[in-house]
């Protein structure tokens, strides 16, 4: 599906965002070993949204994880999307990533953002997810110049669905576009 990218200042200098437990900052090769723990875990991976992606995001060795991070960095340079590492403030380690990008969309015909959260399974809890969604709700609408943020949440990810519903997201019906009915959205 063709779309026009929305280019904002975020592609000139990537900001950091914080919650009480996490720092979100641009992904780095230094995160490779810790992100491999997330991307090699099948419990984590089955929740990821890889719709319209070039990979299934399963990596079981450092070399493959480095190639993935290189792809994230190049995509940022090409203004495709921003991939943030989610850093646990207590340990200083990357426990997952958040991706966001803006585009002119077929969803409600407004500038939309697609949010992806790839998280180590032990962090897939209400409290941690609320912190991450709060960052998105607070920061991403303006940072990515969008009026709507959409994310995919599989039906079996009940904790994630509960959190997104509590944080103001609603299910959107995309069956007419031959897409999964697992998408949720929030308007600015």
């Amino acid at each position: 599906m063709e779309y026009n990218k929305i280019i904002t200042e975020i592609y000139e200098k990537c900001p950091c965002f914080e919650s009480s437990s996490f720092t979100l900052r641009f992904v780095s090769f230094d995160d490779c070993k810790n992100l491999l723990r997330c991307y090699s875990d099948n419990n984590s991976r089955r929740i990821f949204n890889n719709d319209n992606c070039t990979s299934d995001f399963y990596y079981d060795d450092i070399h493959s994880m480095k190639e993935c991070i290189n792809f994230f960095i190049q995509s940022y340079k090409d203004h495709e999307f921003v991939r943030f590492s989610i850093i646990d403030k207590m340990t200083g380690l990357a426990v997952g990533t958040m991706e966001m990008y803006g585009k002119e969309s077929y969803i409600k015909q407004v500038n939309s953002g697609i949010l992806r959260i790839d998280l180590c399974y032990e962090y897939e809890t209400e409290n941690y997810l609320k912190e991450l969604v709060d960052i998105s709700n607070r920061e991403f609408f303006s940072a990515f110049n969008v009026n709507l943020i959409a994310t995919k949440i599989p039906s079996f990810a009940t904790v994630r669905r509960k959190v997104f519903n509590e944080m103001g997201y609603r299910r959107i019906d995309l069956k007419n576009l031959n897409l999964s009915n697992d998408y949720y959205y929030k308007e600015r």
Side-chain angles (χ1 to χ4, degrees):
M1 205 169 283
E2 289 294 314
Y3 66 90
N4 294 318
K5 296 179 278 186
I6 299 169
I7 305 301
T8 67
E9 297 81 37
I10 202 161
Y11 292 105
E12 301 305 317
K13 183 174 185 336
C14 189
C16 293
F17 302 109
E18 292 195 36
S19 69
S20 59
S21 303
F22 301 112
T23 299
L24 267 63
R25 58 142 174 81
F26 189 62
V27 70
S28 163
F29 287 112
D30 294 338
D31 303 327
C32 190
K33 179 181 171 189
N34 298 308
L35 289 178
L36 181 60
R37 195 168 67 85
C38 177
Y39 286 96
S40 64
D41 177 30
N42 283 322
N43 288 322
S44 299
R45 285 186 47 255
R46 59 191 211 112
I47 299 173
F48 298 172
N49 172 9
N50 61 3
D51 287 2
N52 300 312
C53 291
T54 59
S55 167
D56 66 358
F57 294 105
Y58 176 72
Y59 304 110
D60 61 358
D61 62 76
I62 291 289
H63 176 74
S64 298
M65 192 72 240
K66 281 183 181 175
E67 286 181 346
C68 177
I69 292 172
N70 189 56
F71 175 75
F72 293 161
I73 292 169
Q74 187 58 50
S75 295
Y76 175 79
K77 290 176 182 175
D78 293 341
H79 298 183
E80 294 287 334
F81 59 80
V82 180
R83 190 62 82 139
F84 298 94
S85 286
I86 303 168
I87 307 300
D88 181 324
K89 287 182 173 181
M90 293 287 289
T91 65
L93 302 176
V95 297
T97 65
M98 280 178 76
E99 176 187 305
M100 179 70 183
Y101 64 93
K103 66 180 188 172
E104 293 177 8
S105 177
Y106 49 85
I107 303 172
K108 293 192 161 252
Q109 306 306 308
V110 297
N111 288 349
S112 300
I114 301 296
L115 173 68
R116 303 179 201 278
I117 301 176
D118 300 346
L119 196 57
C120 286
Y121 194 70
E122 65 267 22
Y123 287 86
E124 191 75 22
T125 68
E126 283 188 42
N127 290 338
Y128 287 144
L129 286 167
K130 282 181 181 177
E131 287 187 43
L132 296 171
V133 175
D134 182 61
I135 290 171
S136 171
N137 288 351
R138 231 180 333 111
E139 305 290 351
F140 288 1
F141 285 104
S142 60
F144 289 89
N145 190 30
V146 296
N147 296 313
L148 180 148
I149 295 176
T151 192
K152 182 179 179 183
I153 308 170
S155 59
F156 58 81
T158 55
V159 172
R160 192 174 282 213
R161 279 191 174 197
K162 179 179 188 279
V163 167
F164 273 84
N165 277 318
E166 289 175 359
M167 302 291 287
Y169 283 72
R170 299 294 166 251
R171 185 181 226 157
I172 189 167
D173 184 3
L174 298 173
K175 285 183 181 175
N176 61 331
L177 298 172
N178 294 323
L179 294 172
S180 142
N181 204 28
D182 292 332
Y183 277 88
Y184 287 72
Y185 75 98
K186 179 178 177 72
E187 294 181 273
R188 187 187 288 222

